[in-house]
Amino acid sequence: MAHATQVGLQDATSPIMEELISFHDHALMIIFLISFLVLYALFLTLTTKLTNTNITDAQEMETIWTILPAIILVLIALPSLRILYLTDEINDPSFTIKAIGHQWYWAYEYTDYGGLIFNSYMLPPLFLEPGDLRLLEVDNRVVLPIEAPVRMMITSQDVLHSWTVPSLGLKTDAIPGRLNQTTFTATRPGVYYGQCSEICGANHSFMPIVLELIPLKIFEMGPVFTL
């Protein structure tokens, strides 16, 4: 869960999010080095009165500053493509959950448990308990196990939505007439929050997503499905 003074990304709860954070730090370091080099060159240009005639027509230098950016782009593109393919890879999921976007709430279907279907609405402020998060709590949470691959089937009933949970590194569009899918494997228990990330109408800000991740043994006991 993000907090008010947070600068970086949320703590990772899945291997994919760990990869995304690692790539973010990798790209950010390259950006810092480039920015420092450019600012240093500008500082020298503005402060020195000397002119070196050897760099006014230097083929070697022009070759270097043409090839070097291309190498930097390759160093950024290769890990980016690797993560892109990892996010699309689906290997024998243990559970399948279908999420359907509506204006303005989410509906969920546990396809592996007799077609259990329920709606998830945001809790109004009057119904919040002490410690609940305003605009993020829902009446029915999605309960899922940790350390088990879960496949999310995501679609929409009306307009474009986006099912997003930052801690898991998930962001998949919900499109009417189309069924998108994504997978994740949670690594630790807890309650994780997300929101619709596609402007979908007047109450776009009021359709949160709440996942309650619990150990597999507790998940298989059954009472967690009591709504």
Side-chain angles (χ1 to χ4, degrees):
M1 180 62 196
H3 52 82
T5 59
Q6 183 171 332
V7 177
L9 302 174
Q10 296 184 24
D11 293 339
T13 314
S14 67
I16 289 296
M17 190 58 188
E18 292 176 0
E19 294 284 347
L20 290 173
I21 292 176
S22 177
F23 173 71
H24 169 267
D25 296 341
H26 167 74
L28 201 60
M29 183 58 65
I30 294 176
I31 293 172
F32 280 155
L33 292 175
I34 294 174
S35 301
F36 176 79
L37 179 62
V38 172
L39 290 175
Y40 180 69
L42 287 174
F43 175 77
L44 292 181
T45 303
L46 295 174
T47 56
T48 183
K49 296 181 180 180
L50 300 177
T51 301
N52 190 342
T53 58
N54 293 328
I55 64 174
T56 58
D57 185 18
Q59 297 295 330
E60 295 82 2
M61 182 174 293
E62 292 179 2
T63 302
I64 291 174
W65 71 43
T66 300
I67 296 177
L68 188 58
I71 296 175
I72 293 174
L73 289 176
V74 171
L75 292 177
I76 295 176
L78 290 180
S80 175
L81 290 173
R82 173 178 173 273
I83 296 175
L84 184 63
Y85 280 102
L86 286 176
T87 56
D88 287 336
E89 188 174 356
I90 299 176
N91 291 323
D92 192 21
S94 300
F95 303 94
T96 299
I97 311 296
K98 186 176 182 181
I100 306 172
H102 300 267
Q103 288 182 312
W104 288 273
Y105 65 94
W106 293 97
Y108 297 97
E109 179 180 350
Y110 285 74
T111 58
D112 298 322
Y113 287 84
L116 173 66
I117 303 174
F118 61 91
N119 298 327
S120 182
Y121 291 88
M122 185 193 75
L123 281 179
L126 294 177
F127 293 90
L128 293 178
E129 300 290 337
D132 288 347
L133 300 174
R134 179 177 174 271
L135 302 183
L136 288 177
E137 292 292 346
V138 297
D139 55 354
N140 293 316
R141 294 176 174 177
V142 180
V143 181
L144 293 172
I146 63 172
E147 299 178 346
V150 178
R151 175 173 57 185
M152 295 296 305
M153 311 291 288
I154 301 167
T155 186
S156 174
Q157 192 70 25
D158 36 49
V159 299
L160 291 177
H161 300 280
S162 185
W163 199 83
T164 304
V165 182
S167 294
L168 293 169
L170 298 178
K171 185 180 186 299
T172 304
D173 289 341
I175 303 173
R178 179 173 177 174
L179 194 63
N180 292 329
Q181 65 177 350
T182 186
T183 60
F184 68 91
T185 302
T187 55
R188 52 195 175 93
V191 179
Y192 301 95
Y193 297 88
Q195 289 179 303
C196 176
S197 298
E198 189 77 39
I199 297 177
C200 55
N203 292 331
H204 158 68
S205 302
F206 308 118
M207 48 184 306
I209 302 161
V210 182
L211 301 184
E212 184 174 348
L213 303 178
I214 60 177
L216 182 60
K217 291 182 178 179
I218 299 177
F219 179 84
E220 293 177 339
M221 292 173 62
V224 293
F225 293 111
T226 303
L227 303 177

